[in-house]
Amino acid sequence: MTTELLAPLDLAFWHLESTAHPLHLGALAHFGTVPAPSGAEPADVLELLARRAAAVPRLRMRVREVLIPVGGAAWSADPDFDVRRHVREITLPGADFPAETARLAAELMERPVERGLPPWEMYLLSGAPDGSFAVLVKLHHALADGMRAVAIGAGIFDEIAAGRRPPRRSRTLPPHSPSSGLPGPGRLLGIARDRLGDLGRAVEVGASVVRASRLDGRPTAALAAHSSGTRRIATATLSLDRVHRVRRATGGTANDVLLAVVAGALRRWFDGRGLPLPGADPRALVPVSRRRPGAPPGPGNSLSGYLLDLPVTEPDPAARLAAVRRAMDRNKAAGPFRGAGAVALLADRLPPLAHRFGAPFASGAARLLFDLLVTQVPLPRSALSLGGAPLRALFPMAPLARGQSLAVAMSPYDGRVHIGLVADGAAVPDLDALADALTAELDLLDPPERGEEPGA
């Protein structure tokens, strides 16, 4: 793989990170036991995990600064790559293995990845009495958006690894690559012309961002946080069949149903805390991929997003769902190139130096646009396994923006929707209550039938 410049949005994510605000995506995957007769030990699974991660070319790349463009950075192969720096095993007490994995995952997600190395980590979490195990994956947001993260992380699974080719050796860098020196005069003129065009488009996109901003800067109080640097993680599992049952009865999409469930859960959570409902509905940023359906993930982030006022002040569950559906229909009709989603487009138009020096301002601007992130991360539809152990659940985890206390990520897999909640540990000590509220809200929209478990 050749050296390549970080795309503008990737560069923005790289510079936005701070010690208290790590910008990595995560996933906590739970696997069953390795079937007999292999009876693989944790050390065997660790070796398999390390070998497969090392075979993913992207995971061998690190970020380094470059001279041209000024303020830019590039991906290049780590000449001293050692997968053992990235893949580790931690044995947990087995009495309550799921709860222990969530607790440890929160601690590990607090820590930024080491910048001098390829920016990712994987942890094999073992110790369950029945021989099941979990894997925690951390990928810096500069390395991948949700779809790209799935494509990279999928390389550890048996079904994907079996059909993967060995990594190719790095090719010789072409002339005028990021590490080859200064470009010629003609190229400089072209760069200047491009920058002038980008500036004009940046002004237009920036105006869209300002129009979408809440200029009073007052977020929903319960969702704002003076960031403590700590993290808390909780998970919930909902029945995908029941989500689709609601969708068929009411119209819209499964994502509309899930967004309405989040809105109702927040309302229930506010009430359980003894808090008054906010004067205005909290605003969610719903990321949207700009990749074409069916197209390969490709390098770099390709994101936009929709703004959605979650109708927590509406007491009726059916009316909440109808409000979400109407709002999302309006968003889709307008397209993902306006409002808060334009932040990603604006990043694409700015020169690298603006990302380097503008990061301190931009990192605090999220609260002007939205209160929380609610995202859906798609997974392969086929059954997945690692070393023969079936994947039982995969809970995605999104990063927290500065000044915000909650992010919600969802992944449908194997007939269920697995929801990962990431919160500031000091601002949201009762995150498990919000996870329980998600199950209760689906039950309001679709009362469980005889023999069905609530929520699941």
Side-chain angles (χ1 to χ4, degrees), residues 88-114:
R88 305 177 182 91
E89 180 186 0
I90 300 177
T91 302
L92 297 170
D96 190 356
F97 188 72
E100 286 297 318
T101 59
R103 178 196 60 77
L104 180 60
E107 293 181 7
L108 295 172
M109 291 294 286
E110 293 173 6
R111 309 173 189 172
V113 294
E114 188 173 341

Side-chain angles (χ1 to χ4, degrees), residues 206-221:
S208 179
V209 174
V210 170
R211 287 193 296 269
S213 302
R214 297 169 301 184
L215 297 180
D216 61 6
R218 283 180 277 181
T220 302

Side-chain angles (χ1 to χ4, degrees), residues 138-158:
K138 290 169 54 177
L139 299 173
H140 196 286
H141 211 337
L143 184 66
D145 57 22
M147 289 185 67
R148 179 68 182 171
V150 169
I152 292 173
I156 71 170
F157 294 115
D158 299 337

Side-chain angles (χ1 to χ4, degrees), residues 101-305:
T101 59
R103 178 196 60 77
L104 180 60
E107 293 181 7
L108 295 172
M109 291 294 286
E110 293 173 6
R111 309 173 189 172
V113 294
E114 188 173 341
R115 288 202 155 211
L117 302 174
W120 63 275
E121 298 169 1
M122 291 186 190
Y123 294 88
L124 171 63
L125 308 180
S126 59
D130 63 355
S132 60
F133 60 92
V135 173
L136 174 68
V137 179
K138 290 169 54 177
L139 299 173
H140 196 286
H141 211 337
L143 184 66
D145 57 22
M147 289 185 67
R148 179 68 182 171
V150 169
I152 292 173
I156 71 170
F157 294 115
D158 299 337
E159 294 73 16
I160 286 83
R164 186 174 55 203
R165 296 178 180 177
R168 294 181 297 176
R169 300 184 63 150
S170 297
R171 294 175 291 177
T172 303
L173 296 177
H176 306 316
S177 71
S179 62
S180 63
L182 296 174
R187 177 61 179 145
L188 283 173
L189 182 61
I191 290 173
R193 190 183 303 113
D194 291 343
R195 285 288 170 254
L196 287 174
D198 285 347
L199 180 61
R201 287 186 288 270
V203 171
E204 181 182 349
V205 173
S208 179
V209 174
V210 170
R211 287 193 296 269
S213 302
R214 297 169 301 184
L215 297 180
D216 61 6
R218 283 180 277 181
T220 302
L223 298 175
H226 296 290
S227 303
S228 67
T230 62
R231 293 291 180 268
R232 189 175 296 271
I233 289 173
T235 62
T237 302
L238 305 179
S239 164
L240 186 57
D241 286 342
R242 292 181 60 197
V243 169
H244 282 298
R245 199 156 67 200
V246 175
R247 175 191 60 79
R248 289 192 294 270
T250 61
T253 67
N255 197 46
D256 294 342
V257 177
L258 291 170
L259 289 167
V261 166
V262 171
L266 287 171
R267 178 185 174 90
R268 184 181 294 264
W269 182 58
F270 288 146
D271 184 63
R273 280 184 149 199
L275 297 174
L277 291 175
D281 286 328
R283 181 180 282 183
L285 176 62
V286 183
V288 177
S289 175
R290 288 187 279 149
R291 305 185 194 280
R292 295 180 180 177
N301 286 275
S302 184
L303 292 171
S304 186

Side-chain angles (χ1 to χ4, degrees), residues 246-247 249-253 256-257 260 308 318-332:
V246 175
R247 175 191 60 79
T250 61
T253 67
D256 294 342
V257 177
L308 173 68
R320 283 197 293 269
L321 175 53
V324 166
R325 187 171 65 249
R326 288 193 300 269
M328 288 301 289
D329 285 347
R330 287 194 299 269
N331 279 331
K332 293 169 188 174

